Amino acid sequence: MRFTTRLLHESFAPDAATGCVTQPLYQSTAFYQPTAEEMEKVFAGRKPGFVYTRVGNPTIAGFERRLRALEGGVGAVAFASGMAAISHALLNVLSSGHEIVASSGLYGGTSSLLADFAQYGIRTRYAQGDRVEDFAAQINEHTRLIYVETIGNPKLDVVDIKALADLAHAHGVPLFVDNTVTTPYLCRPLELGADVVLHSTSKALNGNGNSIGGIVVAGGKFSWKADRYPKFRDYSFGPMSYIVRLRQRMVTDYGGCQSPFNAYLTGIGLDTLALRMDRICSTAQALAGYCESRGLEVDYPGLASSPFHELAARQFGGRFGAMLTLCFGTKERAFAFIDNLHYALNVSNIGDARTLVIHPASTIFCHLSAEERQQAGVTDDLVRVNVGLEDTEDLLEDFAQALDHLPSR
Ligand SMILES: *Cc1c(COP(=O)(O)O)cnc(C)c1O
C-alpha cells in the first residue's frame, strides 16, 4: 500500500456501531460504563474504553492512530497545540540538571520555550552549524536529548536526520524531530532512526487553517534507562514506555489535551495531504525558480543554489515543501513586495490552503534580540512565503507584477 491508500484505509475503518464512513465526532466530556465493576476495569486498564476526554476520546484516538500509522510509530498522543506537544514531549523526559542539544534555526515558539526551561534547571546548547560535528561539539555528560526540525523556519536549513540519530544513540540519548514543515508525506524521521516525532497539526496536516493542534509519535526503540532518565523509574513498559508516561503523566496531569472537534477537522484535512503537498511543492519550486530568474536572492531547498539541496533531495524524496524566503535588500522593499501581492495574504502562520507571506523580523521574531534574529536567519529585508493551493500560473503572475512595482534600491 502506498502513502494515500494507507492514509485512507490502513488506519481507518467505518464506525463499527453505525457504519459511519468518516471519523465520528464524539463531542463528549465523559463516557459511561453500565456497572461500577466495569468502570473499575476501565480505570485499571483491564477493559478497553474511555472515561474522560482529557485522558482519551474516540475521535482523538482515531486521529492519533492515523498519525501513528503515517509516521510508523508505536503510539501517539494528540495535544492542544504544537507548543503543547513540544512542551509535554520534552518534560516527559527531562529533569533539572539535564541539557538539550538543539539546531540553531528552531521555530521561534520553541526557542522561546527552551529559554524558559532554564529557570527550571534545563539548559539548551545550540549547534553552531548544521553539520553532525557541530552537534557533537555541544554534547556532554548532562545531555539528555537532541532536538531538531526537518526544515528550519524561516532559516530553511536541513540537518541529516540519519547521521544525527546515529550520533545521539552513540551518546545514549534520543533524537527528537519536529516534522511540521515536511509532514510524513515528505519525511518519516522514525524510519531514519529518530526516536520521537512532533507536529503542530495546525499547519499542513490540517491544511485549511481551521484548528490548532499538536501530536507526538514515538518510535519505541529507545531504551529509557532510569539512572539517566529518572522519570522512567516507574514506567518500564518496553517500547511503550515513552507513550504510556506521556499519556498517564503529561496529558493527564498537565492537561494539554486536544479538542475532539479539532481532531475531527484535522482528520478531514489529513485525507488530502498528499494531493495538497504535491501541488504546493511543485508551485513553490516554480515560484522559487521564477524569483531567482528575476535576480532576487531566493532561498528554497529545491534550488540547486541552496547549500542543503542534495541532502534535502535525498531525505525528502525530491520534494522540498511550501516555504521559501526572498531578500529584497531593504525593509522598505520587503514591505512593498508584501503590500503589492494580490493573492498572498499577510498572515503569521504556515500550512494554509491560501498562500501566506510575512516579514518575520518585525512580527514573529520582533521579541528576539538582534543576535537571536541573526541565529534564526532572520534579516530585515527577508520575506517568508508559504505557498498554498492557488493555480500556479496565477501566483506566478501575481509575483511578477509585485516585483515589477517594487521601489528601486
Ligand atoms: C507552528 C509551529 C509550531 C507550534 O505549533 P502551534 O500549533 O502554533 O502551537 C511548532 N513547530 C513548528 C515547526 C511550527 O511551524
Side-chain angles (χ1 to χ4, degrees), residues 80-86 106-110 147 149-153 178-181 198-203 211-214 323 348-350 384:
S81 67
M83 288 317 303
I86 295 166
L106 290 184
Y107 173 73
T110 306
Y147 188 95
E149 293 173 6
T150 50
I151 301 183
N153 165 10
D178 181 334
N179 193 21
T180 302
V181 171
L198 313 96
H199 285 278
S200 164
T201 63
S202 326
K203 314 290 173 54
S211 19
I212 296 278
M323 200 190 313
S348 70
N349 66 323
I350 61 169
R384 183 185 79 188

Side-chain angles (χ1 to χ4, degrees), residues 149-321:
E149 293 173 6
T150 50
I151 301 183
N153 165 10
K155 204 178 184 185
L156 297 170
D157 51 336
V158 178
V159 293
D160 187 333
I161 294 171
K162 197 165 183 300
L164 280 181
D166 290 343
L167 174 75
H169 298 156
H171 287 87
V173 302
L175 176 66
F176 281 47
V177 179
D178 181 334
N179 193 21
T180 302
V181 171
T182 28
T183 81
Y185 185 53
L186 268 57
C187 180
R188 286 177 296 282
L190 299 179
E191 288 176 5
L192 298 171
D195 301 288
V196 176
V197 175
L198 313 96
H199 285 278
S200 164
T201 63
S202 326
K203 314 290 173 54
L205 291 179
N206 174 290
N208 298 286
N210 63 25
S211 19
I212 296 278
I215 199 155
V216 178
V217 188
K221 296 206 179 97
F222 189 78
S223 161
W224 305 91
K225 301 219 165 57
D227 54 336
R228 285 169 63 78
Y229 297 95
K231 289 186 175 179
F232 285 91
R233 189 150 289 133
D234 301 323
Y235 284 88
S236 49
F237 296 96
M240 293 305 286
S241 303
Y242 181 87
I243 282 295
V244 170
R245 193 180 189 287
L246 190 63
R247 189 175 302 286
Q248 290 187 358
R249 302 306 308 277
M250 301 312 295
V251 80
T252 303
D253 294 352
Y254 288 68
C257 67
Q258 191 164 92
S259 140
F261 189 48
N262 285 9
Y264 169 78
L265 290 175
T266 307
I268 295 171
L270 195 59
D271 286 347
T272 56
L273 176 66
L275 275 176
R276 290 186 284 105
M277 289 306 283
D278 278 340
R279 167 67 159 266
I280 284 168
C281 292
S282 75
T283 302
Q285 185 76 43
L287 278 178
Y290 173 73
C291 291
E292 196 169 57
S293 78
R294 291 280 309 253
L296 270 180
E297 196 187 310
V298 185
D299 195 5
Y300 184 63
L303 293 176
S305 54
S306 161
F308 305 105
H309 181 62
E310 276 168 33
L311 171 60
R314 171 159 49 86
Q315 200 159 261
F316 308 139
R319 297 182 192 84
F320 302 93

